Amino acid sequence: MKVLGIETSCDETGVAIYDDQQGLIAQVLYSQIKLHAEYGGVVPELASRDHVRKLIPLVEEVLQQAGLKGSDLDGVAYTAGPGLMGALFVGAATGRSLAWSWDIPAVPVHHMEGHLLAPMLDEPKPEFPFVALLVSGGHTQLIEVKNIGEYTILGESVDDAAGEAFDKTAKLIGLPYPGGPELAKLAESGDVTRYKFPRPMCDRPGLDFSFSGLKTFARNTFIKECAELEKGSPELAQTRADIACAFQHAVVDTLAIKCKRALKQTGLNRLVVAGGVSANSELRRKLAEQAEKLGGEVFYPRPAYCTDNGAMIAYAGMQRLKAGQIADTQVICKPRWPLDELPSVR
């Protein structure tokens, strides 16, 4: 089965073709970072327009890469939510129209299920059941996964997601957009012993997250420590690095503590970590260290599949199509879509 995957939930246009016999056979990804950089964040209307401009040329490009025609495909999968409504609609309408014109089925895909299944794109694939940590700019969730579509939400962020907190904190200390990767890079040169930031909601039972207060703590520390330092001075540069380091360690420790609790609560020893923040090297180091102590395993997507991409949508869509779950001709997008509402593929 060959499935075309289309991802347009936010600011990246991803298109890929996945074959259940050969694996991923073609993919392209266009990022809108430069478009949104001057605004310091994603502008939804501009994102939608850019998806309109780029999507069809990218579909043509992956078909050419794969040496296929549209009629050679067995289905089209598109992200139907969650995400920005206008951006979602571009991909959904295009995907459904292509499927109709090629006389093949189409299937709407949950964006976070795509992330959750992204580690399946490589070997070794994690076996069910496992605990998943989905950690991105829009979501931070711990989920017990018994099978595809059999999800129990164990905990989630009550305010800012971890990736969102990374981006906002980076902006507060003067780093360019997109801030999360810039903050992580700066943290590498920071002194981890200089500042001690709180580990929010770790002093109480439960698996929910809260990063808004941590972001405010970082802001207040930056204002207090840097107010009298000369702009461009080595002292200011080092202080920013130390604050970035303290913030990153606080987020990573918090995520690791909650993952350990989730594994203990469920009695499982396999952890899947996916989403944009799963590419963070300090998070990977911490969770690998913890897994070794617990005698468990941790699985990640390769870095290219951590951020939004068409490959994960093609793979998730293929699983749904094999289970006979196809869309009718009505195009429906869901900016908010709880993951535990999805049907099982069994």
Side-chain angles (χ1 to χ4, degrees), residues 233-256:
S233 67
E235 293 80 10
L236 177 58
Q238 187 59 52
T239 299
R240 290 168 73 222
D242 294 343
I243 290 172
C245 185
F247 175 83
Q248 176 172 260
H249 274 265
V251 173
V252 166
D253 283 354
T254 299
L255 294 172

Side-chain angles (χ1 to χ4, degrees), residues 135-140 160-165 167 275-277:
V135 56
S136 66
H139 298 81
T140 303
D160 288 352
E164 183 180 9
D167 289 340
V277 182

Side-chain angles (χ1 to χ4, degrees), residues 40-42 136-138 157-184 197 211-220 222 240 243-244 247 251 277:
V42 177
S136 66
S157 182
V158 299
D159 42 54
D160 288 352
E164 183 180 9
F166 261 95
D167 289 340
K168 289 181 177 179
T169 300
K171 188 173 183 178
L172 289 170
I173 65 174
L175 297 178
Y177 173 86
E182 293 290 333
L183 188 147
F197 282 20
F211 295 108
S212 181
L214 182 61
K215 174 192 65 182
T216 302
F217 191 94
R219 177 182 181 274
N220 291 340
F222 179 73
R240 290 168 73 222
I243 290 172
F247 175 83
V251 173
V277 182

